[in-house]
Amino acid sequence: MRMIMSFITAATITAFAFFAGISFPVEWGIIGFTLDFIPFIGPQIATASPFLFVLAQLGDAGFAVFAFVCLTAIQSLLGSYVEAKISGGALHISPFVILLSIFLWTFLWGTYGAFIGVPIAIVVASLSRAMLGISEPTGANKLAVAPKGNVISSTGV
């Protein structure tokens, strides 16, 4: 899943760089793809590098800031929202739990924790479901998990 989202991020960065007229759009996409695998710091480097390049190449601070804001929006939207939503749906875990797990384990163990935060959440959820006989949540009911045969809505209805 991470590779697919990194590819989508790279394609979006490439398209933006191409249409904005930034030199080497494919290379910026490859850099974005590669750095997207490094939690927190990678996306920041992937947005700061084109900013500095545009600033040095064109000398236009306004356009460089525009590029930086757009690339930051791309990284934030795809990395923090879309990826969490897709990963949560595929893993039957709430996107909130995925983000919380990443933040918690990054806080406790730094970069290593960022890499293993989601696998730890998956293991805990799987073991909890297996030991308690809890079924997989369905539909929009991913925050509340109920015993088999009993469905509890996350909206309280």
Side-chain angles (χ1 to χ4, degrees), residues 70-139:
C70 289
L71 290 170
T72 301
I74 290 168
Q75 289 283 358
S76 297
L77 180 67
L78 291 176
S80 297
Y81 179 73
V82 175
E83 185 174 351
K85 188 127 178 106
I86 291 173
S87 296
L91 301 172
H92 300 290
I93 297 176
S94 167
F96 175 75
V97 172
I98 290 174
L99 290 175
L100 182 66
S101 176
I102 290 171
F103 289 133
L104 171 71
W105 293 109
T106 301
F107 176 74
L108 293 176
W109 291 340
T111 304
Y112 301 114
F115 281 110
I116 64 170
V118 174
I120 289 173
I122 293 168
V123 168
V124 168
S126 297
L127 287 175
S128 298
R129 288 180 188 136
M131 290 180 2
L132 299 173
I134 297 174
S135 65
E136 296 288 330
T138 59

Side-chain angles (χ1 to χ4, degrees), residues 28-69:
W28 291 121
I30 293 170
I31 290 170
F33 174 81
T34 306
L35 292 175
D36 201 38
F37 288 98
I38 302 171
F40 302 111
I41 297 170
Q44 291 176 356
I45 294 170
T47 56
S49 299
F51 164 73
L52 295 173
F53 179 78
V54 168
L55 190 60
Q57 178 189 21
L58 301 176
D60 183 5
F63 183 69
V65 169
F66 169 74
F68 179 75
V69 168

